Amino acid sequence: MDDLARTRERFHRAGVAWHPAFDLLGLEAPDFVDAFLDFSRSAAAGSALTPKDRQLIQVALAVATTHLDRDGAAVHIREAARLGATRAELVHVCQFSTLLGIHTMPLALSVLVEEAERAGHALDEEVSEEGTRAGERFVAHRGVLPEDLEPLLRLDPGFLDAYRTLSRTVVSAGLLEPKLVELIIVALDVSSTHLFAPGARLHVRNALAAGATISELMEVIKLTSALGISGTALGVRLVDEAFAGG
């Protein structure tokens, strides 16, 4: 068994997914691969999450619209399936990425409202009947209307309704336990490619209310800390391609 094969075996025994780019990194930067194995092993350490749930969370992180790690997603999808995840569960997990799009609104709405008022464009002070009903429906389905989305009650209640329906469809599909749903959303919100603090706070609160433990939440947070390897993997492949002809 050569050195690269032994390194692969160490990853397998540690339960850490072997990213395709490690074939290159294992030859050109073996010390880095060893250090990353130790880091990943520490990040994945713990027994609060089941191995299957851990893989489902990593699938969600890999396919997130802020990350889009095709190779990592393929690795974690295969591993999740090996651990018993169904096709329907994996399709459901992939849908969570859609929810990240709404996080443009907290920034955009505050800027729009402030600049419109500064430029002398009067915005409706009163919420219309349509906006009131949209807000009530949102609270009925989601428990709370985040403060940063409240301008939609005046500006575009129909859009708020459409998002409510989308998020309710994703969150309430019934394929995953409510606690795992919240843990997945926490992972997406705290990930290094997103860092959406308001959502993280809300969904940590929801996860705790759904029965999540501090240990489970810590494992989720640690799993997000390994996302940086995707950039390294992409760069190393491009370096290899650049030098392939010479």
Side-chain angles (χ1 to χ4, degrees):
M1 182 181 293
D2 59 24
D3 289 343
L4 187 58
R6 280 192 288 272
T7 301
R8 278 176 174 268
E9 179 60 24
R10 288 179 59 220
F11 270 68
H12 177 72
R13 288 199 306 271
V16 177
W18 179 265
H19 197 289
F22 291 163
D23 287 332
L24 293 171
L25 282 167
L27 295 173
E28 304 210 26
D31 290 346
F32 171 83
V33 173
D34 286 343
F36 183 76
L37 171 60
D38 290 340
F39 177 79
S40 298
R41 188 160 40 200
S42 177
S47 57
L49 297 173
T50 69
K52 174 187 166 184
D53 286 353
R54 188 179 292 115
Q55 290 301 320
L56 290 175
I57 290 168
Q58 289 179 292
V59 169
L61 289 167
V63 303
T65 191
T66 54
H67 197 54
L68 300 178
D69 178 11
R70 179 186 178 90
D71 289 334
V75 168
H76 292 299
I77 286 171
R78 287 195 297 269
E79 185 63 12
R82 186 186 70 80
L83 291 168
T86 66
R87 181 187 181 100
E89 286 174 326
L90 285 161
V91 169
H92 184 200
V93 166
C94 292
Q95 293 171 34
F96 282 88
S97 178
T98 309
L99 303 183
L100 299 184
I102 197 66
H103 296 162
T104 61
M105 283 295 165
L107 170 67
L109 287 173
S110 62
V111 170
L112 175 58
V113 170
E114 290 173 10
E115 294 304 319
E117 291 176 348
R118 183 174 288 116
H121 296 284
L123 298 175
D124 291 335
E125 292 294 332
E126 298 295 326
V127 176
S128 67
E129 186 177 342
E130 180 188 3
T132 299
R133 289 197 301 268
E136 290 171 348
R137 286 190 290 267
F138 197 98
V139 172
H141 292 158
R142 296 290 301 275
V144 63
L145 175 63
E147 183 179 350
D148 47 32
L149 294 183
E150 287 183 0
L152 288 173
L153 299 177
R154 292 182 290 154
L155 295 172
D156 199 335
F159 177 80
L160 183 64
D161 259 336
Y163 173 67
R164 173 186 56 81
T165 301
L166 173 63
S167 63
R168 185 185 186 196
T169 301
V170 173
V171 171
S172 305
L175 293 169
L176 304 175
E177 293 183 0
K179 181 179 74 172
L180 180 57
V181 167
E182 295 298 332
L183 292 176
I184 289 172
I185 300 175
V186 169
L188 292 171
D189 283 348
V190 304
S191 66
S192 56
T193 55
H194 195 47
L195 300 176
F196 185 60
R201 186 175 298 279
L202 172 63
H203 291 288
V204 164
R205 190 180 305 133
N206 289 349
L208 290 169
T213 65
I214 299 298
S215 295
E216 287 173 323
L217 284 159
M218 269 303 301
E219 285 188 29
V220 168
I221 293 168
K222 288 195 297 181
L223 287 176
T224 69
S225 65
L227 294 188
I229 192 62
S230 301
T232 301
L234 172 63
V236 167
R237 285 185 161 187
L238 293 175
V239 169
D240 187 58
E241 290 176 11
F243 283 84

